[in-house]
């Protein structure tokens, strides 16, 4: 799942910066042969799908993806051997089930890192462990050395008022997450004369650090990197006692990376009323990414396999999609949507998204049909209501989640296509009220291993993994027969 600061990130519409690459022609909908297609009520196919898809079956796929990841570099970042090995497993399994698998190749703007170092040079020298933001401006080779200061006003440093009465020219500012995008933080600091920004991730785990990114890249002004809460709080304590000088060596450059989405269609069903169901298969390069997002990819695969025996009952074509480069700006799903012409867009009935479906300290979250700016495309609320109703019928409480800019539904929403899905949670911190409903640990992130090396198979909660998988299998079975209450078709 794409990482943004925890507040106001709901306003982000991910902007992918895609270059011309090899284009798989997906335009021009055609109606498949309807011979042999038989009628089955939507609720019956939905029930059959939710019974056929189980956590145990999907777990075997997850184990296979885990093995492919571990044997090929330990992650599935785009362009990596781990990505290729995992998609090869997906392709083999889908082909064995009777699907014809397509690669949709493209290139996207990526960021290559050369150095992310920092150290306190005075008064008490020690090493820091920064993580440079993607698309950050670089320091000179060898870094730059300057005094570090914290804002005189609000610690998040989003506006000039946060530095009121303070001279930060030629200095490094240390700010906290929240209140605004990190892009805005470094623009404000730059305008005040600062030479670099360090940002306190401020996570419950004092050792956890995350990589953020400039959105858009062209708004980068000065070097910016994150520090874990432990290092940031110690730095703040030192600053309170007197002047502190830090050297930061933060260097990277933009580059183009080639990758591909995987697409598999049911051979039956109306192509002009396609239901798209997707999950991203890539991970960040610091983790095996089992919950983020191999678990969802494995469940999506099992759903496709279990739908194959019911092809003759599919009235609306289902397209299963494994997206690339979600962790690199939601670039894969954005590229897919960008290739749709007007007929293709109107022929896409809806989009169902699976994201981080096995979080250990989970909330049972259902996208609620709303964006940060108001209602999502017409029909999104109906998708939410149906998925929420599935859980309610089984006595399982849910929490609503806004259709934010952090996952692959975002490009579909921006294109006016109704969307919904499930998400068990990432870096949000569980509240006492949430723990009363869902259990778990108060004050801990919903996924304490979010983007960390500990995101292994042991990090996936098998209960919520299965519950979310069955709910989404039910939803795609239902919409494979009837989308009339979502889009009128």
């Amino acid at each position: 799942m794409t990482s943004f600061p925890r507040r106001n990130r709901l306003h982000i519409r991910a902007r992918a910066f895609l270059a011309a690459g090899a284009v798989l022609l997906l335009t021009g909908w055609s109606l498949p042969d309807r011979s042999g297609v038989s009628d089955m009520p939507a609720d019956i196919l939905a029930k059959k799908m939710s019974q056929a898809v189980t956590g145990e079956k999907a777990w075997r796929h997850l184990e296979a993806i885990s093995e492919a990841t571990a044997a090929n570099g330990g992650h599935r970042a785009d362009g990596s051997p781990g990505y290729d090995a995992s998609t090869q497993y997906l392709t083999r399994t889908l082909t064995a089930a009777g699907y014809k698998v397509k690669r949709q190749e493209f290139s996207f703007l990526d960021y290559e890192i050369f150095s992310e170092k920092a150290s306190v040079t005075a008064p008490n020298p020690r090493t820091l462990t920064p993580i440079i933001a993607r698309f950050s401006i670089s320091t000179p080779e060898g870094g730059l050395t300057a005094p570090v200061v914290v804002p005189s006003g609000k610690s998040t440093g989003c506006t000039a008022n946060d530095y009121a009465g303070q001279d930060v020219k030629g200095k490094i500012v240390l700010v906290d997450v929240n209140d605004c995008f990190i892009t805005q933080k470094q623009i404000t600091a730059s305008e005040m004369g600062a030479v670099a920004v360090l940002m306190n991730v401020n996570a419950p785990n004092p050792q956890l650090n995350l990589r953020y990114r400039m959105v858009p890249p062209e708004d980068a002004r000065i070097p910016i990197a994150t520090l874990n809460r432990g290092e940031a709080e110690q730095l703040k304590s030192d600053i309170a006692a007197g002047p502190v000088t830090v050297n930061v060596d933060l260097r990277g450059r933009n580059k183009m990376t080639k990758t591909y989405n995987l697409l598999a269609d049911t051979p039956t069903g109306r192509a002009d009323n396609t239901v798209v169901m997707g999950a991203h298969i890539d991970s960040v390069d610091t983790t095996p990414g089992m919950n983020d997002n191999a678990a969802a990819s494995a469940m999506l695969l099992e759903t496709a396999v279990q739908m194959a025996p019911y092809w003759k009952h599919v009235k609306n074509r289902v397209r299963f999609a494994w997206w690339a480069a979600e962790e690199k700006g939601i670039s894969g799903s954005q590229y897919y949507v960008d290739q749709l012409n007007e007929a293709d867009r109107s022929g896409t009935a809806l989009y169902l998204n699976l994201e981080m479906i096995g979080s250990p300290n989970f909330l049972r979250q259902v996208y609620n049909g709303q964006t940060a700016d108001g209602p999502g495309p017409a029909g999104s609320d109906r998708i939410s209501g149906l998925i929420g109703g599935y859980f309610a019928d089984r006595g399982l409480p849910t929490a609503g989640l806004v259709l934010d800019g952090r996952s692959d539904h975002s490009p579909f929403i921006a294109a006016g296509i109704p969307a919904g899905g499930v998400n068990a949670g990432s870096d949000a911190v569980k509240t006492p009220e949430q723990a009363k409903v869902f259990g778990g640990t108060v004050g801990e992130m919903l996924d304490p291993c979010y983007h960390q090396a500990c995101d292994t198979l042991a990090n996936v909660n098998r209960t919520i993994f299965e519950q979310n998988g069955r709910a989404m299998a039910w939803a795609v079975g239902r919409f494979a027969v009837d989308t009339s209450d979502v889009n009128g078709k």
Side-chain angles (χ1 to χ4, degrees), residues 131-187:
I131 294 181
I132 189 173
R134 293 179 65 240
F135 307 120
S136 170
I137 295 295
S138 294
T139 64
E141 188 169 354
L144 62 84
T145 302
V148 182
V149 296
V150 296
S152 57
K154 202 167 185 180
S155 64
T156 48
C158 291
T159 70
N161 287 337
D162 294 334
Y163 299 99
Q166 190 174 17
D167 179 13
V168 300
K169 188 174 182 179
K171 299 175 182 178
I172 299 169
V173 296
L174 174 62
V175 300
D176 289 340
V177 298
N178 297 334
D179 293 344
C180 65
F181 311 147
I182 69 166
T183 310
Q184 181 60 41
K185 295 176 189 291
Q186 56 92 48
I187 288 175

Side-chain angles (χ1 to χ4, degrees), residues 4 22-23 38 41 73 108 117 189 232 237 244 252 310 317 378 400 405 481 487:
F4 291 124
V23 178
S38 64
F108 68 96
K117 301 176 183 177
S237 177
V244 175
Y310 298 106
R317 180 173 70 179
V481 177
N487 68 343

Side-chain angles (χ1 to χ4, degrees), residues 1-3 209-210 284 286-287 292 327 449-453 455:
M1 185 171 185
T2 292
S3 177
N209 204 349
L210 298 172
V284 295
T286 56
T287 174
D292 188 12
E327 301 290 4
C449 289
Y450 176 61
H451 285 191
Q452 306 298 303
D455 188 12

Side-chain angles (χ1 to χ4, degrees), residues 62-296:
L62 184 56
E63 287 178 326
I65 295 172
S66 176
E67 290 172 4
T69 302
N72 291 276
H75 63 80
R76 295 183 309 284
D78 292 271
S80 71
Y83 186 88
D84 289 336
S86 298
T87 56
Q88 287 165 11
Y89 172 77
L90 297 175
T91 300
R92 289 194 304 270
T93 306
L94 289 164
T95 300
Y99 289 91
K100 293 182 179 179
V101 183
K102 301 176 183 178
R103 281 192 181 192
Q104 185 183 40
E105 298 180 349
F106 65 98
S107 297
F108 68 96
L109 184 64
D110 203 352
Y111 189 74
E112 184 176 15
I113 297 169
F114 300 118
S115 177
E116 40 189 2
K117 301 176 183 177
S119 61
V120 176
T121 59
N124 301 307
R126 64 181 182 277
T127 300
L128 302 173
T129 54
I131 294 181
I132 189 173
R134 293 179 65 240
F135 307 120
S136 170
I137 295 295
S138 294
T139 64
E141 188 169 354
L144 62 84
T145 302
V148 182
V149 296
V150 296
S152 57
K154 202 167 185 180
S155 64
T156 48
C158 291
T159 70
N161 287 337
D162 294 334
Y163 299 99
Q166 190 174 17
D167 179 13
V168 300
K169 188 174 182 179
K171 299 175 182 178
I172 299 169
V173 296
L174 174 62
V175 300
D176 289 340
V177 298
N178 297 334
D179 293 344
C180 65
F181 311 147
I182 69 166
T183 310
Q184 181 60 41
K185 295 176 189 291
Q186 56 92 48
I187 288 175
T188 299
S190 174
E191 291 174 346
M192 299 298 294
V195 293
V197 177
L198 294 174
M199 188 172 73
N200 176 14
V201 169
N202 207 23
N205 176 354
Q207 302 306 313
L208 183 144
N209 204 349
L210 298 172
R211 190 182 310 284
Y212 295 113
R213 74 175 188 270
M214 297 292 102
V215 181
E218 57 264 30
D219 281 352
R221 299 286 186 272
I222 55 178
I224 181 169
T226 52
L227 294 176
N228 64 49
R229 179 169 62 85
E231 291 182 349
E233 289 180 348
Q234 182 60 56
L235 200 54
K236 287 182 179 181
S237 177
D238 292 346
I239 292 169
V244 175
T245 303
V246 167
N247 175 271
V248 291
D249 186 359
L250 306 169
R251 288 176 285 121
R253 70 178 179 188
N254 296 351
K255 70 170 186 176
M256 300 306 298
T257 294
K258 292 182 178 180
T259 189
Y260 51 89
N261 299 319
L262 280 187
L263 307 171
D265 294 350
T266 58
T268 53
R270 292 179 56 179
D272 65 340
N273 198 42
T274 295
V275 174
V276 182
M277 186 178 189
H280 72 90
I281 182 62
D282 66 309
S283 73
V284 295
D285 61 5
T286 56
T287 174
M290 289 298 103
N291 186 44
D292 188 12
N293 196 35

